[in-house]
Amino acid sequence: MIDLHTHILPGVDDGSRSLDNSLRVLERLAAEGVTAVACTPHLDASQADSAPLEEHGRLMEELRSGAPAGITLHSGFEVMLDRPGCDLRLPGLTLGSSHAVLVELPRSSLPEGADHELLRIRASGLIPVVAHPERYRGVTVDLMHRWREVGAILQGDALMLLSSGPMARLARAMLEEGVYDILASDNHGDRRSLTTVRSWLREMGGDEQGKLLTEENPRRVLANEPMLPVPRLGRRGGLWQRVRELFARR
């Protein structure tokens, strides 16, 4: 599995607070079958030209030197689109050496013209990967289809699929409609991972979807290859009961 959204670069944002903690997280992820992780600390688009690349590069090397064998670390950022028109083509902002940049939007309400901003980023030669779209107030499945049409990649929050409430219901609707391109953990130095949702998808007859969402399409993001379509995962008997059971065991 490949996890393209984490906050395990130590001590730089609201994620992992120490190198030791980050290394423990990586040990656990490697044991669960994760082979690559992108470290994506928060960054405002309006501050892109002053991103702390040197400091983060030093921390990445410390993390790589202690990381378990078999797991590859990629640099990047989760860029808050706090101001339209910012140049995100600056070196070091993308996921690894790809043309993809992980972006997020304000959760309180979608800014006017969000789809135009995503189109502008795509037209600049970058591929916007929209983090956890199910969290944004005002998002609909139809809107997500439009964002994909302008060239955005949609990254769902894996554990949201196993949660409760309006955002979780929207996340499952997106999965049912085949809207998501990839899933990621958004790990903040804690126990979040892709493993639980992969097990759930397998039990729901969605092993093909799980492989595409957590293996093949994330690999394609890093390799600048087009996304493969993820088949819809229709409602099956006992689906929501299994959600409750798996969530209760966490």
Side-chain angles (χ1 to χ4, degrees):
M1 292 180 287
I2 297 173
D3 195 341
L4 295 182
H5 182 177
T6 73
H7 295 268
I8 61 170
L9 198 64
V12 298
D13 61 6
D14 60 343
S16 178
R17 304 311 302 166
S18 70
L19 179 62
D20 285 344
N21 183 67
S22 296
L23 292 176
R24 286 194 297 270
V25 170
L26 288 173
E27 289 283 355
R28 179 174 55 80
L29 295 181
E32 293 177 351
V34 175
T35 59
V37 172
C39 300
T40 53
H42 292 291
L43 177 71
D44 288 342
S46 59
Q47 302 298 315
D49 58 354
S50 58
L53 298 177
E54 184 175 344
E55 176 194 357
H56 288 193
R58 176 182 58 80
L59 291 170
M60 283 293 296
E61 288 308 309
E62 291 183 7
L63 205 53
R64 286 189 178 108
S65 66
I71 196 164
T72 302
L73 298 181
H74 299 278
S75 60
F77 286 92
E78 181 183 14
V79 181
M80 169 62 75
L81 300 180
D82 63 325
R83 191 176 72 195
C86 296
D87 188 358
L88 302 183
R89 296 172 296 175
L90 301 169
L93 300 187
T94 61
L95 296 170
S97 58
S98 75
H99 301 314
V101 58
L102 183 68
V103 299
E104 66 173 335
L105 296 160
R107 299 188 194 182
S108 56
S109 63
L110 287 176
E112 186 176 351
D115 50 347
H116 295 294
E117 179 66 4
L118 294 174
L119 178 59
R120 183 197 67 81
I121 293 171
R122 185 67 187 92
S124 76
L126 299 175
I127 303 171
V129 179
V130 181
H132 40 62
E134 67 281 341
R135 297 185 190 178
Y136 307 134
R137 186 182 299 275
V139 158
T140 65
V141 172
D142 287 342
L143 179 59
M144 294 303 93
H145 282 299
R146 295 206 301 273
W147 285 5
R148 292 179 76 202
E149 288 172 1
V150 302
I153 291 172
L154 301 185
Q155 174 254 299
D157 183 332
L159 290 188
M160 187 63 70
L161 292 167
L162 304 179
S163 299
S164 59
M167 289 187 293
R169 289 193 292 272
L170 178 58
R172 290 190 285 270
M174 291 182 180
L175 180 67
E176 290 173 359
E177 291 295 320
V179 173
Y180 286 135
D181 296 293
I182 63 175
L183 295 175
S185 72
D186 197 8
N187 184 289
H188 274 62
D190 47 40
R191 297 199 60 81
R192 280 178 274 188
S193 75
L194 296 170
T195 305
T196 305
V197 77
R198 274 300 300 270
S199 298
W200 174 70
L201 285 168
R202 192 173 297 115
E203 291 187 38
M204 295 303 103
D207 195 41
E208 178 186 6
Q209 288 87 346
K211 288 179 179 178
L212 286 168
L213 290 164
T214 66
E215 296 180 29
E216 180 60 23
N217 277 348
R219 182 197 67 78
R220 285 172 168 264
V221 170
L222 294 172
N224 294 317
E225 297 176 5
M227 297 293 93
L228 294 180
V230 179
R232 295 182 178 187
L233 183 67
R235 291 183 181 232
R236 302 171 184 267
L239 176 61
W240 309 126
Q241 178 61 32
R242 292 297 301 140
V243 171
R244 290 191 290 270
E245 290 174 358
L246 286 173
F247 185 68
R249 295 205 301 263
R250 288 175 50 216

